[in-house]
Amino acid sequence: MLLICLLLAGCSDLQSQGKALDAEGTQSSGTVGNTHAKIGQTWYFALPVPRNVSSRPIEITGASVVDPPKGLKVVSYAAYNLNDTDGLPLLALEGESDTPDFAHLKNYAVSPVKVPAKKESDIFFQARIRITSPPEKNIKRCRFQYRQGNEEFTQILDCELELKVEQ
């Protein structure tokens, strides 16, 4: 039994803590948000644009928010080209005239997103979030999973989202 526990413990950390992504990018400080949100609304939240600060290329295999608070439900994740959205829509309300028509854009998250060494990606990742009740707290961090060579990594970046529901 002890051997099984040791083997399981050794397998539980298949991904190493990564350092290839820029943790000090433009989205690492400050808060994106809206103080007049409503229950039932769906928002598009852009995660930090991946910038590879390492000397080797990476392939991003996933991106997500860490611990979404009660009141915010992540409906889906996607990845889009900055050129297709005329820049980075940090936070956009679904159905608004200035919100990109994401349903008709190519979703690059269906395969790994390649980011060359020392370059910023043209692809950004996004969380589609629905407000189900007044959020208890903010989203504070985002998780990126990537491959560099034959190694798998996970890296947590700051990315704060505050949605306040009008009462």
Side-chain angles (χ1 to χ4, degrees):
M1 185 67 153
L2 179 60
L3 180 59
I4 292 171
C5 290
L6 289 173
L7 289 173
L8 289 174
C11 294
S12 65
D13 187 22
L14 294 176
Q15 294 184 328
S16 299
Q17 181 62 35
K19 296 184 276 185
L21 294 174
D22 186 2
E24 303 298 323
T26 56
Q27 290 167 268
S28 66
S29 61
T31 303
V32 174
N34 187 294
T35 57
H36 303 289
K38 295 179 174 54
I39 294 172
Q41 287 180 330
T42 299
W43 291 83
Y44 296 100
F45 172 52
L47 282 56
V49 177
R51 184 172 190 284
N52 182 357
V53 295
S54 78
S55 59
R56 295 181 8 210
I58 63 172
E59 292 183 329
I60 299 172
T61 57
S64 59
V65 298
V66 175
D67 300 325
K70 185 176 179 184
L72 297 180
K73 179 183 180 186
V74 178
V75 177
S76 61
Y77 292 102
Y80 300 102
N81 190 301
L82 290 163
N83 295 320
D84 294 342
T85 56
D86 295 323
L88 181 64
L90 289 173
L91 184 65
L93 178 59
E94 185 174 75
E96 291 291 301
S97 61
D98 58 345
T99 298
D101 188 3
F102 293 110
H104 291 96
L105 297 177
K106 179 178 179 179
N107 179 1
Y108 290 85
V110 296
S111 59
V113 172
K114 296 176 183 179
V115 185
K118 306 287 186 193
K119 298 283 184 187
E120 183 171 88
S121 179
D122 291 334
I123 307 298
F124 70 95
F125 291 83
Q126 173 197 84
R128 185 170 171 237
I129 298 171
R130 182 169 297 123
I131 302 174
T132 59
S133 63
E136 290 185 353
K137 59 183 179 175
N138 294 352
I139 289 173
K140 298 262 190 186
R141 300 178 305 151
C142 297
R143 175 184 298 113
F144 285 83
Q145 296 159 305
Y146 57 90
R147 182 179 316 120
Q148 192 168 38
N150 292 327
E151 292 184 76
E152 301 282 333
F153 296 94
T154 296
Q155 188 171 343
I156 305 294
L157 300 178
D158 291 337
C159 65
E160 189 161 2
L161 169 65
E162 176 183 45
L163 291 172
K164 294 285 185 194
V165 172
E166 294 179 328
Q167 303 272 344

